[in-house]
Amino acid sequence: MQWLRDMWTKEGPGIPKDAPAKTGFALFADILAREWWEMFKLNILFILASLFVVTLPAALAAMARVSVAFLEDRNTYLLRDFTEAFLRYFWRATAWGLALASALAIGVHATATYAAGARGNLMLAAPLAIALVATAFLAVTACHLIVLMVMRDLPALRLLRLAALASVACPLPALAALGFNAALWLAHILFYPVSVFMPATFNFSLGMFAVAFAVHRAAEMVLDLPTHCKSHARDAS
């Protein structure tokens, strides 16, 4: 049974220290090629951890934590790291999940309502645009918030401020990641039943990795802001 234990507990593969740094899609593809088997197992862990539904936010946070470890090329012991993150962020992730899900539900409902009304009344075009932008901003903020939460332990209000700041400063990568997730599920629908195994094999873990990859740089930027502000203040004095 050693092989079965090693499948879940051994270190993930690393990269040579002298390898040239990659960026953008090349980096995304390189990490995906290196960690695909870990992502497959991560997808299974996420599904198992989400079976009770109420555990879904904590499972998302645990998956985000592991995805950030892939990005930062840290040693990962998948089962241990996922379980520790699941337990560590359970209550915080659940609270944020309920709050963000409620806000997004209101935004989606408002957008759908105004869209239906705008067909016969052009006066509703303005509130429709506002509702659409607000809902998109909430979705982008949620992407930044979950990654920031697993990168640094922060008070709730500061976490929300940094997530909103990152969303204002760099919204496009997060929107692209959300579009990538939508494309994954659209492919699952269009190619069904051939694609029946997509959710069970990689949709969830690949989607979360895409989100983490997209917002990681913005998250690092806003987390470093206090340090930069202090250094500028010292230079000015």
Side-chain angles (χ1 to χ4, degrees):
M1 300 296 290
Q2 178 72 27
W3 67 272
L4 184 59
R5 187 183 67 181
D6 289 345
M7 172 182 172
W8 296 99
T9 60
K10 70 178 182 179
E11 291 185 24
I15 58 175
K17 292 183 178 180
D18 57 349
K22 296 181 179 179
T23 58
F25 182 75
L27 178 60
F28 182 89
D30 181 68
I31 298 174
L32 182 59
R34 190 171 68 247
E35 304 286 1
W36 69 270
W37 180 237
E38 297 299 296
M39 288 187 189
F40 169 74
K41 293 185 289 183
L42 179 61
N43 202 81
I44 295 174
L45 284 177
F46 170 78
I47 293 172
L48 293 175
S50 304
L51 289 178
F52 295 103
V53 182
V54 294
T55 57
L56 178 60
L60 283 170
M63 190 163 55
R65 175 84 171 192
V66 175
S67 296
V68 170
F70 290 158
L71 278 170
E72 296 177 351
D73 192 35
R74 290 188 271 112
N75 289 334
T76 55
Y77 301 87
L78 189 61
L79 183 59
R80 184 198 69 184
D81 292 349
F82 184 90
T83 304
E84 287 180 355
F86 180 87
L87 296 174
R88 178 178 180 180
Y89 297 108
F90 183 86
W91 294 112
R92 276 177 286 178
T94 301
W96 281 116
L98 289 173
L100 291 170
S102 300
L104 284 169
I106 293 172
V108 170
H109 178 71
T111 302
T113 301
Y114 285 127
R119 295 175 183 175
N121 186 357
L122 290 179
M123 294 293 291
L124 295 177
L128 170 61
I130 294 172
L132 183 61
V133 171
T135 304
F137 182 78
L138 277 172
V140 169
T141 301
C143 292
H144 286 98
L145 190 143
I146 191 171
V147 173
L148 282 165
M149 181 175 65
V150 300
M151 289 178 66
R152 189 82 55 85
D153 288 333
L154 298 169
L157 287 178
R158 187 180 175 198
L159 177 63
L160 182 60
R161 285 198 299 268
L162 290 180
L165 178 60
S167 300
V168 171
C170 302
L172 295 182
L175 286 172
L178 291 172
F180 179 81
N181 275 270
L184 280 177
W185 289 100
L186 182 60
H188 169 62
I189 295 170
L190 291 178
F191 296 104
Y192 189 85
V194 177
S195 60
V196 66
F197 294 110
M198 282 179 63
T201 53
F202 63 82
N203 267 27
F204 297 109
S205 59
L206 181 57
M208 177 54 72
F209 175 71
V211 168
F213 183 87
V215 307
H216 186 257
R217 181 174 296 181
E220 287 185 322
M221 179 187 70
V222 296
L223 287 173
D224 288 340
L225 280 178
T227 303
H228 291 320
C229 291
K230 289 179 181 178
S231 63
H232 288 322
R234 285 196 299 267
D235 293 340
S237 62

